[in-house]
Amino acid sequence: NGKCGDYYPLLQHTLNDACVDDGAWEACPVACGRCCADDPEYMGTQGNCSTYLPGGANFGYCHFDGVEESCPVACGLCCKDDPTWDGGHGGCATYREGATNEDKCVEHEAVSHCPVACGVCCRDNEGG
């Protein structure tokens, strides 16, 4: 059991066994890959993720530089539900807490389309 930063080298957008085994899955959702987050260790040839934020030197070049996976927040790929997505089971509103598909985000592959509704926009616990 360490601090959340100890899990960043393991950052994936899928379930991470070490995080579950160590009990960090709940305390460190970003580091364990439960949430959409920029990799704090990323340093590309054009700079770190913060350079891709609005106002940064590389703003607008995420796709060109191929940094979307490492810097999804800076590239604007996170924490916005797609208002046009349906997925065959209803739009993002049906995946919100208390809605019909609340527990089906992964099963229906809704997470990437509905990160807010599916609850993947979050932060690690400060003490974790």
Side-chain angles (χ1 to χ4, degrees), residues 2 6 25 35 42 45 69-70 72 77 95 105 107 113 116 122:
D6 296 342
W25 186 246
C35 302
Y42 176 79
T45 58
E69 186 172 326
S70 296
L77 302 175
Y95 292 91
C105 284
E107 181 181 334
H113 302 281
V116 175
C122 50

Side-chain angles (χ1 to χ4, degrees), residues 25-26 29-30 33-36 79-81 92 95-97 101-103 105-106 110-123:
W25 186 246
E26 291 300 321
V30 174
R34 278 183 50 210
C35 302
C36 193
C79 301
K80 294 179 187 173
D81 287 346
C92 291
Y95 292 91
R96 292 188 182 278
E97 187 174 342
N101 294 314
E102 173 187 10
D103 60 347
C105 284
V106 173
V111 175
S112 63
H113 302 281
C114 308
V116 175
C118 290
V120 297
C121 295
C122 50
R123 301 186 189 286

